[in-house]
Amino acid sequence: MTIENALNNPYTKWMEGKGPHASIVISSRVRLARNLNDYNFPHLQDEESGRKVMELAKDALTAQEVQELVDGIEFMSLEELSPLDRLILMEKHLISPQLADGEGPCHGIALSEDEAVSVMVNEEDHLRLQVLFPALQLKEAWNLASKVDDLLESRLDFAFDEQYGYLTCCPTNVGTGLRASVMMHLPAIAMTNQANRFFMSLSKLGFVVRGLYGEGTQAKGNLFQVSNQITLGLSEEELIGNLTSVSRQIIEQEQLARDEMRKESLAQLEDMVFRSYGILTNAYIISSEEAVAHLSNVRLGLDMGLLRDVQFRKLNELLVETRPAFLRKLAGKEIDAFNRDFKRAELIRNSLS
Amino acid sequence: MTIENALNNPYTKWMEGKGPHASIVISSRVRLARNLNDYNFPHLQDEESGRKVMELAKDALTAQEVQELVDGIEFMSLEELSPLDRLILMEKHLISPQLADGEGPCHGIALSEDEAVSVMVNEEDHLRLQVLFPALQLKEAWNLASKVDDLLESRLDFAFDEQYGYLTCCPTNVGTGLRASVMMHLPAIAMTNQANRFFMSLSKLGFVVRGLYGEGTQAKGNLFQVSNQITLGLSEEELIGNLTSVSRQIIEQEQLARDEMRKESLAQLEDMVFRSYGILTNAYIISSEEAVAHLSNVRLGLDMGLLRDVQFRKLNELLVETRPAFLRKLAGKEIDAFNRDFKRAELIRNSLS
């Protein structure tokens, strides 16, 4: 039921809109890359070996002690999911685009009932464990990920090197195998035109800034994903601590930029926020790009107390609900670009009014 | 009180929004140009002669029989009005820009209580009598104008030539001295890109198409003023009849174009209408040009039954209320362009919500 529910309901744990700095930090993610000894990495895997990894992973992921820690965890082969359903999991950020595209019988997904814990099997690595929480909760996410990792390690023989740490397919993940990231809404920083310089300086400190759907995607709707670049040479706690502290600095910068906007150009700000609200609650045709831009303005207005009667949770849900796969699900059939824009507008109108 | 009321209230008779074809035809106007024998035309007038014309006009306009026909008619010298008040009368279409700019003691205005009848003294001609009704009511406007004209003629010695008819300052007005016009909202014709061709063909039939504030102004908000070019060689009834019948044809064209839009692109139409509504009810800063364009879309939506809960009267009022002079009146002080755009947005929000 867990995965079926996930496919039929746009809402997922990270959209909660509650927790520390929930208005600026949409979600916190911790991901651990793990591989099994004695089996080739997925890209060199034959089917037999792939099936064996699937089997071992399934057994470990659905073991009694994991069930006790992770409510309602369920395992499924990607083969059982239609292309549309895979896209839906991807749009909810529960699996990666690579896994969604994966062919053959050797790709799997495990998911907890609240969708905070997901494990991809035979993506780039044998196992990729993800914990995805709302707001700035990296430490909480790490704590849970670490516990799940311990339980899995008690059953699985992870490839681990005394000198290098956990071995991974891509050398950039070697060591802790940990990638932590926060999804942040940074409209004021983006508007100051200093965003690029600011993000460049973050990259010198070992952090990467990307768009909403990870590597190679653009920052739409002023949503930026900030993650650690380094996985080797620091402990997991240090990595999580560093990213948390950088996130706090970014939040502070964003707040300063917002204060400045409020002081210097309140009317223009209100105009921007309310025009976006007016368009979202009235338009009959809207592209994904336009919707995301207006949702960003409404979120900013909400956060700055200019606008009320909208919930952060609603805005988070709309980020996913207005994506193509969900709209197709909603329509119950294939729809062309025009009808997608029409459905999207309808959905947003109903959701915000 | 009549003129003072007119200055303090944006509403005026032609904004009523009721009557034949009120949704497409905003107003019908009949204007008669008259001059007095034995006095130079205004542009050649000395002050003594100008004052004498003012006196004669005032006596005639406030005579008992005129008072009985035209409720609350009041006469005032333009000297008694501040530049702002003159602009307000102009924005309400009760006096012309030329009269509003007139210097010296020899310019006058008479106005009826409902503001349907106005008479300018010493504008281009000695007297310019205007009757301005809501909707397509040219004949009704003409009937009233004719009655007032008869009463004035019984007291004043109008310059009249057996061969040419009424003599006027500009030869294009000679004959009947009658200019009739209708103010029409023609968004669908404008959107078909055939507007220019259509209006060219009207000009070949002796009709002129202009923007909202008459000669030399642009058609903003898809508002077009259609008037007769010819004043000589036809009777007043024929001129009024011809313009009425041309107006009906234009209305029919507009309706056809709207039916086509409804059939071919309803979603785009709804999108346009509701986006405009959303912006007008939410924006905090809006220019006059943008406001007029959105008001046009909302009017179209209202007329096509897409949008409810807005009154034509409100839209008509906003056409005038959102002009600079009224906004300045509202603010109670001089305001700069930015604050005008701010006040305008506030006024529209309050008016439409």
Side-chain angles (χ1 to χ4, degrees):
Chain A
M1 282 300 290
T2 290
I3 293 176
E4 201 184 312
N5 283 345
L7 295 170
N8 286 308
N9 185 354
Y11 177 71
T12 190
K13 177 77 177 169
W14 65 262
M15 297 174 185
E16 204 169 63
K18 288 180 189 158
H21 305 288
S23 60
I24 290 183
V25 183
I26 294 171
S27 61
S28 298
R29 189 174 77 106
V30 166
R31 183 267 284 158
L32 294 174
R34 297 290 183 258
N35 288 280
L36 305 187
N37 265 328
D38 305 325
Y39 295 92
N40 280 341
F41 286 137
H43 69 293
L44 294 174
Q45 204 170 50
D46 60 18
E47 192 178 313
E48 196 194 329
S49 156
R51 280 184 191 276
K52 189 68 195 157
V53 170
M54 284 280 278
E55 207 173 292
L56 290 166
K58 180 180 176 175
D59 287 349
L61 285 163
T62 55
Q64 186 61 34
E65 65 273 22
V66 178
Q67 299 271 7
E68 276 162 20
L69 179 66
V70 184
D71 267 356
I73 191 164
E74 187 179 282
F75 180 87
M76 197 175 264
S77 164
L78 263 274
E79 266 196 322
E80 296 175 54
L81 296 175
S82 69
L84 178 61
D85 286 342
R86 294 173 183 210
L87 285 177
I88 283 177
L89 292 180
M90 188 194 96
E91 289 181 354
K92 291 177 86 169
H93 298 209
L94 302 176
I95 66 173
S96 66
Q98 294 86 320
L99 194 76
D101 282 346
E103 285 179 17
C106 303
H107 304 284
I109 162 86
L111 193 62
S112 69
E113 197 174 347
D114 67 357
E115 303 172 28
V117 179
S118 64
V119 185
M120 297 189 286
V121 179
N122 284 329
E123 200 240 25
E124 189 178 290
D125 295 295
H126 290 147
L127 292 176
R128 287 206 159 185
L129 163 64
Q130 169 181 278
V131 177
L132 189 51
F133 275 176
L136 185 59
Q137 302 196 72
L138 281 172
K139 208 170 157 203
E140 293 78 357
W142 159 245
N143 286 342
L144 179 53
S146 172
K147 281 182 195 160
V148 177
D149 183 45
D150 289 347
L151 294 179
L152 295 178
E153 194 152 21
S154 70
R155 290 194 170 245
L156 297 168
D157 180 18
F158 284 162
F160 184 83
D161 178 277
E162 280 304 324
Q163 191 184 347
Y164 296 117
Y166 291 102
L167 301 180
T168 56
C169 181
C170 177
T172 59
N173 291 316
V174 164
T176 56
L178 181 148
R179 183 85 65 203
S181 64
V182 283
M183 180 68 65
M184 307 179 96
H185 182 238
L186 306 173
I189 288 178
M191 274 179 246
T192 58
N193 294 324
Q194 300 183 341
N196 275 343
R197 219 182 53 188
F198 184 62
F199 295 147
M200 284 286 276
S201 69
L202 287 179
S203 91
K204 284 184 194 147
L205 296 169
F207 299 95
V208 192
V209 183
R210 296 195 189 99
L212 181 56
Y213 279 82
E215 208 155 349
T217 67
Q218 246 202 308
K220 283 184 182 149
N222 301 313
L223 292 169
F224 298 90
Q225 183 189 295
V226 183
S227 59
N228 65 311
Q229 179 77 291
I230 298 157
T231 56
L232 192 66
L234 290 171
S235 74
E236 287 87 344
E237 285 74 13
E238 285 170 319
L239 291 172
I240 295 292
N242 288 350
L243 183 57
T244 302
S245 115
V246 155
S247 299
R248 292 220 177 92
Q249 286 170 48
I250 298 175
I251 293 166
E252 204 172 307
Q253 283 291 319
E254 173 68 18
Q255 293 289 17
L256 284 175
R258 290 182 185 189
D259 291 347
E260 187 72 11
M261 278 168 70
R262 189 196 291 277
K263 221 176 75 190
E264 297 296 323
S265 47
L266 182 60
Q268 287 87 340
L269 185 68
E270 290 179 311
D271 188 53
M272 183 185 81
V273 165
F274 281 95
R275 275 175 184 256
S276 285
Y277 181 75
I279 288 170
L280 290 174
T281 51
N282 282 282
Y284 269 66
I285 301 171
I286 197 161
S287 71
S288 169
E289 203 150 339
E290 190 190 351
V292 164
H294 291 310
L295 285 169
S296 167
N297 291 342
V298 168
R299 177 183 290 274
L300 177 65
L302 189 60
D303 198 18
M304 292 184 73
L306 305 176
L307 190 142
R308 293 168 216 285
D309 306 327
V310 179
Q311 294 174 308
F312 282 115
R313 179 180 156 159
K314 277 272 175 229
L315 297 178
N316 290 343
E317 280 182 42
L318 282 173
L319 282 182
V320 165
E321 283 181 303
T322 58
R323 305 272 312 168
F326 254 100
L327 291 172
R328 206 181 105 187
K329 185 104 182 173
L330 195 73
K333 58 177 184 194
E334 283 287 349
I335 48 174
D336 60 14
F338 172 79
N339 280 298
R340 212 152 52 214
D341 290 352
F342 189 78
K343 270 273 166 219
R344 181 180 294 113
E346 185 178 69
L347 182 78
I348 296 173
R349 281 202 314 278
N350 293 339
S351 181
L352 293 185
S353 320
Chain B
M1 282 300 290
T2 291
I3 293 176
E4 200 185 312
N5 283 344
L7 295 170
N8 287 308
N9 185 354
Y11 177 72
T12 188
K13 177 75 177 171
W14 65 263
M15 297 172 183
E16 202 170 65
K18 288 179 188 159
H21 306 287
S23 60
I24 292 182
V25 183
I26 293 172
S27 61
S28 298
R29 188 175 77 107
V30 166
R31 181 267 284 158
L32 294 173
R34 298 290 184 259
N35 288 281
L36 305 187
N37 264 327
D38 305 325
Y39 295 93
N40 281 341
F41 287 137
H43 70 293
L44 295 175
Q45 207 170 49
D46 59 19
E47 193 179 313
E48 196 195 328
S49 155
R51 283 184 188 275
K52 188 68 197 160
V53 170
M54 284 278 279
E55 206 174 293
L56 290 166
K58 180 180 178 177
D59 288 349
L61 285 162
T62 54
Q64 186 61 32
E65 65 273 19
V66 179
Q67 299 271 9
E68 277 162 20
L69 178 65
V70 184
D71 268 355
I73 190 163
E74 187 179 282
F75 180 88
M76 198 175 263
S77 166
L78 263 274
E79 266 195 322
E80 297 176 53
L81 296 175
S82 70
L84 178 61
D85 287 342
R86 294 174 183 208
L87 284 177
I88 284 178
L89 292 180
M90 189 195 97
E91 289 181 354
K92 291 178 85 168
H93 297 209
L94 302 177
I95 66 173
S96 66
Q98 294 86 321
L99 194 75
D101 283 345
E103 286 178 16
C106 303
H107 305 283
I109 163 85
L111 194 62
S112 69
E113 197 173 346
D114 66 359
E115 303 173 26
V117 179
S118 64
V119 184
M120 296 189 287
V121 178
N122 284 329
E123 198 239 25
E124 187 179 292
D125 295 294
H126 290 148
L127 292 176
R128 287 203 159 187
L129 163 64
Q130 168 181 280
V131 177
L132 189 51
F133 274 176
L136 186 57
Q137 300 196 71
L138 281 171
K139 210 171 156 202
E140 292 78 356
W142 158 245
N143 286 342
L144 179 53
S146 172
K147 279 181 197 161
V148 178
D149 183 46
D150 288 347
L151 295 180
L152 296 179
E153 195 152 21
S154 71
R155 289 192 171 249
L156 298 168
D157 180 20
F158 285 160
F160 184 83
D161 178 277
E162 279 305 322
Q163 190 185 351
Y164 296 117
Y166 290 102
L167 301 179
T168 56
C169 181
C170 177
T172 60
N173 290 316
V174 166
T176 56
L178 181 148
R179 184 86 64 201
S181 65
V182 284
M183 181 66 66
M184 307 180 95
H185 182 237
L186 306 172
I189 287 178
M191 275 179 246
T192 58
N193 294 326
Q194 300 182 342
N196 275 344
R197 218 181 54 187
F198 183 63
F199 295 146
M200 284 285 276
S201 70
L202 287 179
S203 90
K204 283 183 193 146
L205 296 169
F207 299 95
V208 193
V209 183
R210 297 196 189 97
L212 180 57
Y213 279 82
E215 209 156 347
T217 68
Q218 246 201 310
K220 284 186 183 148
N222 301 312
L223 292 169
F224 297 91
Q225 181 188 297
V226 183
S227 60
N228 65 310
Q229 179 75 291
I230 299 158
T231 56
L232 191 66
L234 291 171
S235 74
E236 286 87 345
E237 285 73 15
E238 285 170 319
L239 291 171
I240 295 292
N242 288 351
L243 182 58
T244 303
S245 114
V246 154
S247 299
R248 292 218 177 91
Q249 288 170 47
I250 298 174
I251 293 167
E252 204 172 306
Q253 284 291 319
E254 173 68 18
Q255 293 289 16
L256 283 173
R258 290 182 185 189
D259 292 348
E260 188 72 11
M261 278 168 70
R262 188 194 292 276
K263 222 177 74 192
E264 296 297 324
S265 46
L266 182 60
Q268 287 86 341
L269 186 66
E270 289 178 310
D271 187 53
M272 183 184 82
V273 166
F274 282 95
R275 274 175 184 257
S276 285
Y277 181 74
I279 288 169
L280 290 175
T281 51
N282 283 282
Y284 269 65
I285 302 171
I286 197 162
S287 71
S288 169
E289 203 151 339
E290 190 190 354
V292 164
H294 291 310
L295 285 169
S296 167
N297 291 341
V298 168
R299 177 183 289 273
L300 177 65
L302 189 62
D303 199 20
M304 293 183 73
L306 305 175
L307 190 144
R308 292 167 218 286
D309 306 326
V310 179
Q311 293 175 309
F312 281 114
R313 180 180 154 160
K314 277 270 175 235
L315 297 178
N316 290 343
E317 280 182 40
L318 281 173
L319 282 181
V320 166
E321 282 179 302
T322 58
R323 306 274 310 169
F326 255 100
L327 292 172
R328 205 182 105 190
K329 184 103 181 173
L330 197 71
K333 58 178 181 192
E334 281 290 345
I335 47 175
D336 61 14
F338 173 79
N339 280 299
R340 213 152 52 214
D341 290 353
F342 189 79
K343 270 273 164 216
R344 182 182 294 112
E346 185 180 67
L347 182 78
I348 296 173
R349 282 201 315 279
N350 294 339
S351 182
L352 293 184
S353 319

